[in-house]
Structure formats: C-alpha cells, structure tokens
C-alpha cells in the first residue's frame, strides 16, 4: 500500500517544502558566519550610511568571479532580517541615479565590533566547527549509554575539554560575557531584586561580567564571583572593593551570601545535579535571618506562549543542552527542582526576550 495514496498533491508538496527547509537550514548559520568573518556589519557601520554592492565588494576586495555570490549572500541575509535593502541617490552621480544599498537592522547592529552589546563572541563560539560539527553524531549519541555528545565527538566532556584548551576556554568565557551584556540592559528594570542585599555570590560566571554589572549598579553590594579554580585564576588580580573572585566546586560548597546568582547554570545539568546545586545554594544563604534567595536567569519553556517564535529557539537550545546531559525547563519542571531542594516559594519575571528571571525564596 502506498503510504501517501490518500493524500492530495498539494499536501505532499507542502510536506516536501517542510523537509527541504529543514535540510538547508544550516545555511542560515553559515551565512551568518560568513557575515561575521568578513565583518560586513562593521563595514556598513563605518561607512556611516547604507552601502551599495559595488562599495562593499570594493572594500572586501572581492574577485570578479565572486561578486554575484556576495550579492546572493547579502540577499539571503536581508531576507532573513540582518540587513534592509534600501534605495539611495548617489550624490556623486550627476543624474542622481537610484541605487540599491544595504542598511543595518537591529540584528546586524548587534554584530558590529566594539559596541556595548556586541554578540560576535557568542556567535563565533556557537558556530565554531568543534561545536557545530559534533551534531553530525546525534545518531551515535542516541545509541551510546551515558555518553554526552562532546564525549563522543571530542573524547571528553565539555568542561574537561575547555580546561585543557585555554584558547577555546577564553572564547567560551568571552561568549558568555557578550551574552551577559544583554542582562545588563534588562536588569535596569529589576533593581528591586537586589535591594536590601549586602552580599551575593555569582556561581559559574567565568570572568564575572554579570557580577561587574551588578557591582557597578550597587556599589555597596559585595559581589563574589565563584567558579572553578582554573577559570578564576586569571581574574583574581581584578578584585575591587566590592568584587572578588573565589575558586571552588559548587557541588562541594558555595560561599555564604545573602543571595546566590545562577545565570545559565541549571540548564547545563540533569535534575539530580540541579537539586544538589540548589541545596548548596540554600546552605549558602541559610544564615540570612531576613530570608535569603536564589536568583536564576535561564530559559523557561512555555509552548502555549510563542511570541516572536521564541519556543522554536528554546527547543533548539534544549537539544543542545540535552546532548550535554542538561535540559531547558518549563515552569513546572523548575518548580519540582525548587521544592525538592527545600525552597518554599518562587516568582518568575520576564527579563529579556529569551530569558526569565526566577527568584527562589528559602
């Protein structure tokens, strides 16, 4: 029996389109990588006005045989929201001929080098072949008992790989720092979460970008950056009056404070490890007589509310985390962790388009 014998032709064609769209979706990432490697957004920014194809290929020194390719790459990126194609008049042309030019959008403005909210480090780290190529082994990962995808593709778990490759660890920390700049923008509307605190420990935060942001916002708040010893050893010399770095293992202890901050930490771990982390958080804040709290910045999956298509992106991140034995979670899944770790209550606030701010009370 023909499986599709009962289907109309247009239904089959729709199915074909859906399959093909997903077959070639990797080209979206590769075009983005091309754009970043050639610094196209920075070139347009420095041009100080929309740039024509002729001007762009001249700056890039593109050989004649690749001009058409550049035009098509820019068309693809424009179609996907990274550039606007606008009409301009050439001031040097006596006939004032109209020409098409490329202008930055909010997405490509985030890819201009040296700007405050630049996401280039995050994009470069995520698109590094050592990361992206590993997903070719998803089938093998599925059939291997207890091995993470990095253990299959890199021969060791992600954290060991990073610790043994300083340049990649630096890239990873820079990517987390660039993402944290978005948190800086968002925290301006959430000052109340930190009011009344005298101390906070930022767990697993690498170079301490978020702590630096918080310490600048609240000069009287003592901020402790707590990460593995080999991570913080290069930053211990940057201690200031209200910012310090301490090395250790969060599964053994977390320094005492009024609050513990976990940004993009719990999604790295399975439920069992998350409960252990949260219990250590509870121990760390237990001496606060006014009631300590854990402050969590993470994705919260809500498939019933899908503004801007965020659920698809969060589900993709869930795949990435699942292959490392972690996961993205729904509110119910977070609630289960909090209760099992001994916390009494929690509140969830929208933070950025992607992240939520979860405040958990002991």
């Amino acid at each position: 029996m023909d499986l599709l014998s009962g289907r109309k032709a247009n239904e089959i064609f729709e199915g074909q389109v859906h399959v093909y769209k997903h077959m070639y979706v990797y080209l979206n990432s590769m075009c983005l990588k091309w754009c970043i490697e050639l610094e196209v957004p920075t070139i347009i920014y420095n041009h100080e006005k929309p740039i024509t194809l002729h001007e762009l290929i001249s700056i890039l020194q593109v050989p004649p045989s690749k001009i058409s390719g550049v035009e098509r790459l820019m068309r693809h990126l424009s179609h996907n929201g990274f550039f606007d194609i606008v009409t301009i008049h050439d001031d040097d042309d006596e006939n004032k001929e109209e020409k098409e030019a490329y202008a930055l959008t909010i997405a490509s403005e985030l890819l201009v080098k040296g700007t405050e909210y630049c996401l280039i480090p995050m994009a470069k780290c995520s698109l590094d072949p050592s990361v992206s190529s590993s997903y070719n082994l998803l089938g093998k990962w599925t059939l291997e008992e207890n091995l993470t995808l990095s253990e299959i593709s890199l021969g060791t778990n992600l954290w060991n790989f990073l610790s043994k490759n300083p340049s990649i660890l630096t890239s990873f920390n820079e990517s987390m720092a660039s993402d944290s700049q978005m948190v800086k923008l968002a925290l301006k509307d959430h000052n109340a979460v930190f009011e009344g605190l005298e101390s906070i420990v930022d767990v697993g935060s690498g170079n301490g970008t978020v702590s630096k942001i918080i310490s600048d916002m609240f000069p009287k708040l003592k901020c402790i950056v707590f990460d593995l010893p080999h991570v913080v050893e290069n930053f211990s010399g940057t201690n200031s009056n209200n910012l310090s770095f301490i090395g250790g293992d969060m599964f053994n202890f977390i320094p005492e404070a009024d609050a513990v901050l976990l940004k993009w930490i719990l999604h790295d771990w399975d439920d069992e490890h998350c409960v252990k982390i949260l219990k250590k958080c509870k121990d760390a804040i237990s001496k606060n007589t006014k009631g300590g709290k854990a402050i969590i910045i993470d994705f919260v999956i809500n498939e019933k509310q899908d503004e801007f298509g965020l659920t698809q992106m969060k589900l993709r991140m869930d795949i990435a985390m699942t292959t490392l034995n972690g996961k993205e979670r729904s509110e119910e899944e977070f609630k289960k962790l909090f209760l099992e770790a001994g916390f009494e209550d929690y509140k969830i606030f929208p933070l950025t388009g992607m992240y939520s701010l979860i405040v958990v009370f002991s």
Side-chain angles (χ1 to χ4, degrees):
M1 179 180 177
D2 187 349
L3 176 63
L4 300 174
S5 59
R7 294 284 192 177
K8 295 179 181 178
N10 66 321
E11 292 178 320
I12 296 174
F13 298 150
E14 287 176 5
Q16 180 192 30
V17 168
H18 189 71
V19 171
Y20 275 48
K21 281 170 64 177
H22 284 73
M23 279 167 47
Y24 293 110
V25 73
Y26 71 94
L27 286 172
N28 288 348
S29 298
M30 293 302 101
C31 288
L32 176 60
K33 185 176 182 179
W34 170 87
C35 172
I36 292 170
E37 285 183 348
L38 295 189
E39 301 183 1
V40 175
T42 304
I43 289 172
I44 298 175
Y45 175 77
N46 290 336
H47 193 65
E48 298 183 342
K49 61 181 179 180
I51 195 168
T52 65
L53 177 66
H54 175 76
E55 291 167 331
L56 179 61
I57 63 175
S58 176
I59 293 171
L60 291 173
Q61 299 183 336
V62 176
S65 63
K66 299 298 172 61
I67 293 174
S68 176
V70 171
E71 182 178 17
R72 281 159 170 75
L73 283 158
M74 292 299 291
R75 178 177 65 181
H76 178 84
L77 288 163
S78 298
H79 181 76
N80 283 280
F82 286 96
F83 304 106
D84 281 331
I85 298 178
V86 299
T87 301
I88 63 170
H89 295 87
D90 192 342
D91 295 335
D92 297 327
D93 188 344
E94 293 181 0
N95 299 321
K96 300 293 182 181
E97 181 183 353
E98 290 186 347
K99 294 183 179 180
E100 282 191 349
Y102 305 105
L104 296 176
T105 64
I106 184 59
S108 50
E109 286 176 0
L110 295 172
L111 301 175
V112 174
K113 289 180 64 176
T115 54
E116 185 175 10
Y117 301 110
C118 177
L119 290 177
I120 289 176
M122 172 59 79
K124 281 187 173 181
C125 184
S126 299
L127 297 174
D128 186 281
S130 63
V131 176
S132 59
S133 64
S134 65
Y135 292 99
N136 289 309
L137 300 174
L138 274 175
K140 185 174 182 180
W141 166 80
T142 304
L143 301 176
E144 291 284 350
E145 181 72 25
N146 294 330
L147 289 182
T148 65
L149 189 60
S150 63
E151 287 171 325
I152 293 171
S153 63
L154 303 173
T156 185
N157 68 55
L158 177 62
W159 313 115
N160 284 339
F161 176 76
L162 290 174
S163 68
K164 295 175 182 177
N165 293 272
S167 62
I168 299 178
L169 176 61
T170 297
S171 174
F172 177 80
N173 285 334
E174 288 175 349
S175 73
M176 294 297 102
S178 73
D179 180 75
S180 294
Q181 289 299 326
M182 293 295 173
V183 176
K184 175 182 179 180
L185 185 63
L187 286 180
K188 293 177 182 178
D189 296 325
H190 293 277
N191 287 0
V193 173
F194 302 95
E195 289 176 355
L197 298 178
E198 295 182 3
S199 59
I200 185 170
V201 55
D202 184 3
V203 176
S205 59
N207 62 10
T209 299
V210 174
S211 283
K212 292 171 186 175
I213 292 168
I214 296 171
S215 66
D216 288 341
M217 292 172 61
F218 302 94
K220 295 182 180 180
L221 176 60
K222 179 183 177 183
C223 298
I224 301 168
V225 178
F226 182 68
D227 211 318
L228 294 170
H230 72 268
V231 175
V232 301
E233 63 183 358
N234 294 325
F235 305 111
S236 57
T238 61
N239 290 350
S240 63
N241 289 335
N242 68 326
L243 178 65
S244 60
F245 290 78
I246 296 178
D249 187 336
M250 64 184 173
F251 291 106
N252 294 330
F253 82 100
I254 293 175
E256 291 181 2
D258 293 336
V260 175
L261 175 63
L262 301 169
K263 176 189 175 285
W264 245 15
I265 300 299
L266 296 182
H267 79 163
D268 289 331
W269 302 96
D270 60 23
D271 290 351
E272 181 181 353
H273 284 88
C274 282
V275 170
K276 289 180 180 178
I277 294 168
L278 288 167
K279 284 183 176 179
K280 294 300 179 183
C281 290
K282 196 169 188 301
D283 291 342
I285 60 178
S286 61
K287 292 186 179 180
N288 185 328
T289 57
K290 297 179 181 179
K293 55 189 173 184
I295 302 169
I296 298 167
I297 298 174
D298 229 321
F299 290 167
V300 177
I301 295 177
N302 184 350
E303 295 184 62
K304 295 180 181 179
Q305 296 179 4
D306 192 22
E307 188 177 10
F308 308 121
L310 284 174
T311 296
Q312 184 179 56
M313 190 212 60
K314 291 179 181 180
L315 293 178
R316 285 174 180 163
M317 283 298 301
D318 184 47
I319 297 300
M321 293 301 103
T322 296
T323 62
L324 298 175
N325 285 346
K327 65 171 79 171
E328 304 297 349
R329 293 174 170 87
S330 65
E331 179 177 348
E332 283 301 312
E333 289 173 313
F334 273 116
K335 180 180 179 180
K336 182 180 178 182
L337 296 180
F338 302 151
L339 293 177
E340 191 171 342
F343 286 91
E344 296 181 0
D345 197 9
Y346 69 93
K347 290 183 179 179
I348 298 180
F349 307 92
L351 185 62
T352 70
M354 301 187 303
Y355 294 123
S356 293
L357 179 68
I358 311 173
V359 183
V360 193
F361 305 97
S362 61

